[in-house]
Amino acid sequence: MIDRYYPELKTDYVVYDDEKAAYQLTERLIARGHQRIAVVPGFEVQATAVQNRLRGHYKALAKHGIPMQEELTWLELYNSLNIFRPQSLLGERERYRSRLLAKLNQTKPTAILTINDGTHEHLVDDLNKLESSLSDETFALECATFSYRSLPQSRHLKLLALQPGEALGSAAARLLIERLEGERKKLEPKHLTVPMEIFD
C-alpha cells in the first residue's frame, strides 16, 4: 500500500513520515510566535495519513507546553468538501465561508495548519473572499500545509511540507518486486517511511 494503509491489514506499505512532518510544521509555526494554531483535517479525517499528521501536530504542541484545545481542531470545516469530486463544491462555498468566518471570530487563531493542499487552496480562496469581513490581524493569518507540488504564492502560505512522490513510488516498486521475485514471500510485512522536506 502507498501513502496510507489499514492498520488491521498485514501488508507491506510505504508512506510519508506524516507525523514527523506535521511535528516540524507546528514547531516552526510556534517558533514564528504562534500559540493559537487551528488545524483543518478536511474530509478524509479517518485516513492514516491524516491521523498521523494530527498526532504530530498535537505532539509538537505538547512539547512546547501549549495545551491542545478542541475548539482549534476544525473537524466540521470542509468535512464534506471532497476535492476529488468537483460537483461537491457546487452550492456549498457560501456555507463553508460562513463556517470559516464563525470559526475565526470564535477561536481567534493566529495560524492555520491544513492537512492537504486542496484544503489549503480552498481556505486561502475563502480568506481572500472574506477579506472585507476580517480584521487586519485575522486576515494576516499564517498558514502551513502539505503538498506533492509547489503551491502558488500567497500572503498566507508560510510553510510547506513537500511530499516527494517519486521517492514514495520507487520504494513501493522495490518492495513489490521483492515480493514478486519471492525473496520476501514468507517474511513479515515491511513498513517504510519517506521523509518530507520543509520549505518556508
Side-chain angles (χ1 to χ4, degrees):
M1 303 193 80
I2 302 175
D3 190 33
R4 55 194 63 189
Y5 57 93
Y6 291 101
E8 306 80 22
L9 191 61
K10 292 186 72 174
T11 183
D12 294 327
Y13 62 73
V14 182
V15 295
Y16 295 114
D17 199 341
D18 293 296
E19 184 174 320
K20 182 176 180 182
Y23 185 97
Q24 291 173 323
L25 286 176
T26 302
E27 269 212 322
R28 291 202 190 191
L29 286 172
I30 293 167
R32 293 174 72 88
H34 298 291
Q35 297 284 304
R36 292 188 61 75
I37 304 168
V39 60
V40 185
F43 76 98
E44 294 184 298
V45 72
Q46 297 305 320
T48 50
V50 174
Q51 289 297 310
N52 290 334
R53 290 174 187 184
L54 289 171
R55 187 176 301 111
H57 170 67
Y58 298 140
K59 279 186 177 179
L61 293 178
K63 182 198 170 190
H64 291 274
I66 300 172
M68 196 281 277
Q69 299 173 61
E70 280 187 37
E71 79 245 21
L72 289 172
T73 300
W74 296 352
L75 292 173
E76 69 278 15
L77 186 65
Y78 305 131
N79 65 346
S80 61
L81 181 61
N82 187 333
I83 58 173
F84 304 110
R85 288 189 298 108
Q87 65 272 24
S88 73
L89 307 179
L90 299 175
E92 296 189 7
R93 297 313 312 223
E94 286 304 320
R95 182 163 55 90
Y96 285 121
R97 282 188 198 112
S98 296
R99 278 189 198 174
L100 175 59
L101 185 58
K103 284 288 186 190
L104 291 168
N105 289 331
Q106 289 162 10
T107 63
K108 304 195 181 315
T110 61
I112 299 177
L113 172 66
T114 55
I115 292 300
N116 59 51
D117 52 3
T119 303
H120 168 79
E121 289 177 342
H122 287 295
L123 175 76
V124 168
D125 183 57
D126 286 344
L127 285 172
N128 288 333
K129 288 191 169 63
L130 289 169
E131 181 174 8
S132 62
S133 306
L134 302 175
S135 67
D136 289 343
E137 185 179 84
T138 302
F139 190 65
L141 279 165
E142 293 192 341
C143 294
T145 195
F146 305 79
S147 183
Y148 63 92
R149 61 193 167 91
S150 296
L151 294 178
Q153 285 189 338
S154 83
R155 70 179 82 192
H156 300 289
L157 182 60
K158 301 301 179 185
L159 296 166
L160 175 67
L162 195 62
Q163 303 163 254
E166 188 174 328
L168 195 75
S170 295
R174 284 194 299 274
L175 279 181
L176 182 59
I177 290 167
E178 287 176 12
R179 287 286 183 196
L180 291 173
E181 291 178 345
E183 294 175 25
R184 299 188 54 246
K185 208 169 212 174
K186 295 181 181 177
L187 297 179
E188 283 296 304
K190 197 169 189 178
H191 304 152
L192 302 178
T193 56
V194 173
M196 294 188 216
E197 192 170 354
I198 310 296
F199 293 92
D200 50 17

